[in-house]
Amino acid sequence: TKVSRGGGPGGFNSTAGGNGQFDFKPEYDESVEVGLKADYDIGPIAARTDLAMFHDDYTDIQKTVITVNAQNLSVLSITNAAAATIQGLELEQTFIPFEGLNVKAGWGYTDAHFKNNLSEAEFAADCPADPATQPNFGFCPLNRLAETPQNTLNLGVHYTVPFSDSIGSVTFGGDLYHRSSMSISDTSYINPDSVLPSLTTLNVDAEWNSVLGQPLDITFFMTNATNQTYVIAGPFLSQFSSVGVSSYEYAPPRMFGFTVRYHFGGDN
């Protein structure tokens, strides 16, 4: 069990926000985590389970928002715009059915959402009925937390071939990763393009150590083996009615290569 509290310092804006305040308060995160680590056998199968459950209360979250000052002018300022609850679990399971084969699977579940602490008037201003055409001020709690998919899954399988020392050690396998949809900005309510669809990727690799008994290792790798096209970042506009376009940064396509390593010295 682990209980912790951390945060970031407050500060000052170079210009006054809409409420006439130049300063913003520190933000804090109070976290509680309960975990389990266990090694055991299921008949001839060696296994390991790592389980962690967590709950976070995130308060006075600092966000850069558009506000209106006393002169009725729109300004950008940092303010303590939101609070959030983040909770879930992480499970990692390892099996060794027989010598040489290693199977590792993982699942992560995250329930994350901003809290709605706005009055009815504030909610109408910060969460406009039509964000495509109406101006947006403050921070809308209907936004999704950035970079926080609800579900992540991974599966890794690697096998070491039982060759003799005169041939060397050969290991090959791959890693499959899946995540559910997620937003890559914290303004998804007014920028729906920032919500990315679910994604599955595959990486494969092979490694030959001590090639033919020599101090030589050869490694092959292939990332994004299925050649998926997917977005990893995008500096989205604060209001997509302002210009009408969004820009994206894409992940690299399928890539593969080899590395060769020679060990100098008898102990390496």
Side-chain angles (χ1 to χ4, degrees):
T1 301
K2 178 182 177 182
V3 179
S4 61
R5 186 173 191 262
F12 298 88
N13 292 296
S14 58
T15 58
N19 57 6
Q21 295 180 348
F22 285 92
D23 62 328
F24 52 92
K25 299 183 295 184
E27 59 182 2
Y28 293 103
D29 178 39
E30 296 182 352
S31 176
V32 178
E33 181 177 338
V34 178
L36 168 70
K37 296 181 182 292
D39 293 290
Y40 51 94
D41 295 325
I42 306 174
I45 300 175
R48 177 180 176 86
T49 298
D50 294 330
L51 174 65
M53 295 177 287
F54 58 90
H55 177 93
D56 287 65
D57 282 320
Y58 198 1
T59 57
D60 289 322
I61 302 174
Q62 298 166 2
K63 296 293 182 183
T64 300
V65 300
I66 301 174
T67 56
V68 179
N69 63 15
Q71 290 74 39
N72 201 32
L73 297 175
S74 297
V75 295
L76 285 175
S77 61
I78 300 175
T79 186
N80 301 98
T85 297
I86 306 170
Q87 57 190 359
L89 62 87
E90 295 177 349
L91 172 65
E92 187 173 278
Q93 182 69 54
T94 302
F95 294 106
I96 303 177
F98 51 85
E99 185 176 357
L101 180 62
N102 187 290
V103 180
K104 181 176 291 187
W107 172 50
Y109 172 79
T110 304
D111 172 26
H113 58 272
F114 290 108
K115 299 178 181 179
N116 182 12
N117 297 325
L118 302 178
S119 67
E120 185 174 342
E122 289 172 328
F123 188 85
D126 296 348
C127 304
D130 186 356
T133 59
Q134 292 178 258
N136 174 251
F137 302 107
F139 185 81
C140 180
L142 298 181
N143 290 315
R144 297 174 62 167
L145 271 75
E147 306 288 344
T148 311
Q150 187 175 66
N151 288 282
T152 58
L153 299 166
N154 60 78
L155 174 65
V157 179
H158 285 83
Y159 178 63
T160 301
V161 183
F163 289 139
S164 65
D165 292 342
S166 61
I167 296 177
S169 173
V170 176
T171 301
F172 62 91
D175 294 281
L176 186 73
Y177 171 77
H178 173 82
R179 62 154 175 79
S180 56
S181 67
M182 73 173 187
S183 176
I184 51 175
S185 81
D186 56 12
T187 58
S188 60
Y189 179 71
I190 59 173
N191 289 303
D193 287 347
S194 71
V195 178
L196 306 181
S198 60
L199 170 71
T200 302
T201 59
L202 173 66
N203 298 330
V204 296
D205 59 87
E207 185 172 357
W208 187 4
N209 293 323
S210 300
V211 177
L212 299 178
Q214 302 301 310
L216 179 69
D217 302 332
I218 300 176
T219 301
F220 166 79
F221 66 89
M222 179 181 291
T223 58
N224 193 10
T226 56
N227 205 26
Q228 295 283 336
T229 300
Y230 60 97
V231 174
I232 57 175
F236 297 96
L237 303 172
S238 61
Q239 190 94 25
F240 66 112
S241 61
S242 59
V243 178
V245 296
S246 293
S247 60
Y248 298 96
E249 179 182 343
Y250 286 87
R254 179 194 297 123
M255 300 177 63
F256 65 90
F258 294 87
T259 63
V260 178
R261 181 174 56 191
Y262 186 84
H263 299 270
F264 294 92
D267 295 332
N268 295 329

